[in-house]
Amino acid sequence: MPSKFSSGKYAIAECDRCGQRYMLKELKKLIIKTKLVSIKVCPECWEPDQPQLSLGLYPVNDPQAVREPRPDNSYNSSGTSGLQLVPGSAGYPEGGSRTYQWGWNPVGGSSSEDIGLTPNYLISIGEVGTVMFNVAAWSAVTTYSVNDAVSYSGGFYLAIKVNINHAPTDVTYWESN
């Protein structure tokens, strides 16, 4: 039975995306969200269906809980890392320890074998750099509240009392910052 369409062997068409001319048989249809759409594009513009667009189309079963779990009764003696604690020592939780550091001071171990390797304290070392911020220049017509900051004659001042028209050099209303 003959087809009602021509073969299109020599047909010329435009890419629906870039507008360049190609042979019709070179153009490919796009698939969007697993659906074949009637957009035909050239080989340079063609791209496979994006998997991110298919999220939620398929059911996902990813259980996290364990059915009928049992408690671990070997709590006091388990683990071989050397971080287990001795009853009566600092940081000893009720019932013992696993391979985790319990309590506050979470860095390092607490047994006598690893004190030299991982001390159980933190020391912060460093310094704060310069902090820059814009401060408005003092104005005689502005009412200043407590803790308002101004610049005046190359210095910075902080209001210690509510004031208006008191120069920042007046120590009754301002303190140098």
Side-chain angles (χ1 to χ4, degrees):
M1 178 171 198
S3 172
K4 60 181 180 178
F5 298 105
S6 69
S7 67
K9 191 188 310 186
Y10 301 108
I12 296 175
E14 274 187 16
C15 170
D16 289 334
R17 191 171 275 172
C18 69
Q20 295 293 320
R21 293 178 74 179
Y22 287 89
M23 297 297 290
L24 180 61
K25 62 184 175 185
E26 291 180 44
L27 298 179
K28 296 181 179 181
K29 285 190 173 184
L30 281 181
I31 298 174
I32 300 174
K33 286 181 128 180
T34 68
K35 305 284 189 270
L36 190 63
V37 294
S38 62
I39 299 173
K40 287 197 151 202
V41 294
C42 63
E44 289 82 21
C45 293
W46 186 84
E47 57 190 16
D49 192 18
Q50 294 295 322
Q52 295 93 338
L53 298 176
S54 300
L55 293 177
L57 293 177
Y58 305 102
V60 175
N61 185 14
D62 188 19
Q64 301 296 315
V66 176
R67 181 176 297 174
E68 299 177 4
R70 296 290 180 252
D72 186 359
N73 294 323
S74 64
Y75 188 64
N76 286 325
S77 60
S78 63
T80 57
S81 69
L83 293 177
Q84 287 68 43
L85 301 175
V86 179
S89 66
Y92 181 74
E94 292 300 320
S97 172
R98 286 271 183 225
T99 58
Y100 305 106
Q101 173 70 35
W102 288 81
W104 198 244
N105 299 333
V107 174
S110 61
S111 71
S112 59
E113 295 88 35
D114 59 359
I115 290 294
L117 299 173
T118 55
N120 201 8
Y121 55 85
L122 295 175
I123 298 173
S124 176
I125 300 173
E127 54 186 67
V128 177
T130 304
V131 178
M132 301 293 291
F133 56 93
N134 292 329
V135 177
W138 177 77
S139 169
V141 296
T142 303
T143 302
Y144 293 101
S145 301
V146 175
N147 291 330
D148 282 349
V150 296
S151 62
Y152 181 75
S153 296
F156 295 99
Y157 297 88
L158 194 64
I160 54 175
K161 289 184 180 178
V162 176
N163 70 80
I164 188 170
N165 199 17
H166 289 280
T169 54
D170 185 347
V171 294
T172 307
Y173 296 94
W174 298 92
E175 72 178 17
S176 178
N177 237 356

